Amino acid sequence: MMRQYELVERVQRYKPDVNEALLNKAYVYAMQKHGHQKRASGDPFFSHPLEVAAILTDMHMDEATIAVALLHDTIEDTSATRAEIDELFGPEMGKLVEGLTKLKKLDLVSKKAEQAENLRKLLLAISEDVRVLLVKLADRLHNMRTLNHMREDKRLRIAEETMEIYAPLAGRMGMQGMREELEEIAFRYINPEAYRTVTERLAEIFERNRGVLDEIEKALSALFDKYRIKATVTSRQKKPWSVFRKMEAKALSFEQLSDIFGFRVVVDTVEDCYRALGAIHTTWSMVPGRFKDYISTPKQNDYRSIHTTIVGPSRQRVELQIRTHEMNNVAEYGVAAHSVYKDTGGKANGAGAVLSKDTNAYAWLRRTIEQLAEGDNPEDFLENTKLELFQDQVFCFTPKGMLIALPRGATPIDFAYAVHTEVGDSCVGAKVNGRIMPLMTELKNGDEVEIIRSKGQVPPAAWESVVVTGKARAAIRRATKNAIRKQYSGLGARILERAFERNGKTFSKESLKPVLPRLARKDIEDVLTSVGRGELSSADVMKAVYPDYKDERVTVPQPRQREEGWSRIRNAAGMLFHLPGRNQRRGAGQPKGEAKDGAVPIRGVRGDLPVRFAPEGAVPGDRIVGIVQPGSGITIYPIQSPSLTAFDDQPERWIDVRWDIDENNRERFPARVSVTAINAPGSLADIAQVIASNDANIHTLSMVRTAPDFTEMLVDIEVWDLKHLSRLLSQLKENASVSDARRVNG
């Protein structure tokens, strides 16, 4: 573990006038607060903030940022408070630490909503001070480096979150080195087999081409010496994730990839970049369509470089990047390279030193957060943030020459919303390079786009599936919601009224007011609309209004003692199986009556065979039997089913089955009933009402026979058990619209 003086020395190497007192104070405070806490690896917890601080010293960050790194987990994981940190280190430092603290006390129904709210809080803190982002990324990087100590499910969740949010965010901020490492570690845990295969193939190719790479490097260096250009030439190899993503996206094999290796040419000035390019293109042929000048049109994350591909020495395609030392530094460290420290005015803790806000990447981030923060719900925010983080871009122009950067695959609709939300909402057509083109046209680099508008236009909901930018998707969704809000709101209200009534509760809109924070919605109309759109389930609303609510069955059977010889099949909910000609034997020391649980092999086949019901269904309370269907699993029949006569001469296919319903089970079971009803308007509604009021569910319905006065229909319903089914049939018979109601067997 790094000692106090070692940390100070690391900062002194690049910042001789370091504020030692601040670093020492933060070191001691964090160490005291974390005390004897341990990480999953068994290491002292304090080793984690120290490693985060070390990562930031490699990026040459100021002492205030290093101090925040030491303190970043204190509010979240210790007894430290914001007020205490404000008092000891100043309110600015306290604000930075709080920005890195997860919202622990969120009382939200959905896990996704919780994740989204934490991300929203983090991004809002980042938009005020980019140092929050740098500490967060360093924190995530160290967590990823030590991910092997976590549980497998947690490893996968953290790796997916890193791949979806934090790695693209690092890329958007121009921090390519950090992005590549985060992607590589996440890839290793998300798809270990693919990672291993790609890594091995890359190692093989590198060994095979080592001589060619040296040859190309020498040829390029000799060329620059000839033209008296001071340049450093280095070869680089694509990272495993970058290779895998390209193979997947373009359906290429390993052998078809032409840019596994590339060369970086670093020169002193911008003028030298273009001189080097001229020397290369006059010596070797350029591959058409593979030239990009990001010096004249930088990427949104401030990335500047010239990219070209040539047919170089040995007649091989060679990918080149030409840039200055400054550009190379920005390409590697992104916003961290723009460390313009302003005069602190003699502040003791150095917290007044801030990173420059003049970078394109940071300006993009603040602008994006402002746009996304307008989203109606946290799930939208999460989805749209992920959309905005992808980096591949095309550059298009307005008729007046304004440059608009868009993700690859963008359409004129995305372009319209990038110009202004109002332009997008009123868009009815587009001219691309002077020609009227469909709105689904994929834009290319250099396209000039003119948007045709109409005042009365409302963006169609179908546009949401066409656009690729988060801003456009959020705006379309918002406009669509507003257009049909009343419709969905009314439907949501009816759904909730019915759900509350079914559970013996009274629904009122006022009862939703206190639980809006739990549902992560702004107002009552939002809740109703979300329920109407299917974004929020009525059960979640019920749980929020009545915390003690449970989705209980009408009848709960008494738990039974499991007997010897009965076993479960993994995907057969609520059933035990007794295999023909086989009893389970008790092992030594195994108590009598205890059955072996888990999957059971059936005639050499794995025990997770598909288990399904016969068309007529079966419900708890029925005597049932299982029939092995070769190649398709086990079919469950009620013992009274006439279909069983077909298997009389095949006793080896019969399996004893018995119900074993867990009292916490929430699964309904299928049954088929025949209902003869009066042929009059409203009869079907009456039948459906009886079924709904009895907490049963209609799965399918078909008309079998229609006469002038009566209609016979077959209804596949889902009920809890036999008692539930019997009560339902009894009430159907009592209904004035029903002549007869009976269960169908076979």
Side-chain angles (χ1 to χ4, degrees), residues 48-77:
H48 167 64
L50 268 182
E51 288 297 329
V52 174
I55 291 168
L56 291 169
T57 60
D58 294 338
M59 295 161 64
H60 293 190
M61 298 311 301
D62 67 314
E63 58 265 59
T65 311
I66 307 296
V68 170
L70 293 169
L71 301 170
H72 79 271
D73 274 333
T74 51
I75 295 179
E76 190 174 327
D77 294 322

Side-chain angles (χ1 to χ4, degrees), residues 204-268:
E204 285 172 22
I205 290 172
F206 180 74
E207 282 301 316
R208 197 165 62 242
N209 291 282
R210 193 192 291 269
V212 178
L213 295 174
D214 290 342
E215 185 190 328
I216 294 171
E217 216 168 286
K218 286 174 184 172
L220 286 167
S221 297
L223 177 69
F224 297 138
D225 288 342
K226 179 184 169 184
Y227 284 88
R228 296 180 182 177
I229 300 168
K230 190 181 174 184
T232 308
V233 182
T234 53
S235 62
R236 59 174 188 86
Q237 182 180 295
K238 271 191 180 286
K239 300 293 180 185
W241 169 245
S242 178
V243 170
F244 181 75
R245 186 176 59 185
K246 191 166 184 176
M247 286 167 63
E248 242 191 354
K250 297 190 176 180
L252 300 172
S253 67
F254 228 98
E255 290 70 23
Q256 291 172 296
L257 294 174
S258 62
D259 58 348
I260 290 176
F261 297 103
F263 291 83
R264 188 168 292 159
V265 179
V266 183
V267 296
D268 291 336

Side-chain angles (χ1 to χ4, degrees), residues 665-707:
N665 179 58
R666 296 182 179 179
E667 185 178 350
R668 292 179 175 90
F669 293 87
R672 179 171 286 178
V673 298
S674 171
V675 180
T676 304
I678 297 168
N679 196 357
S683 295
L684 186 57
D686 287 348
I687 293 164
Q689 182 59 45
V690 171
I691 294 170
S693 62
N694 274 275
D695 196 26
N697 188 43
I698 298 175
H699 190 255
T700 60
L701 185 146
S702 59
M703 305 298 179
V704 179
R705 186 170 54 85
T706 303

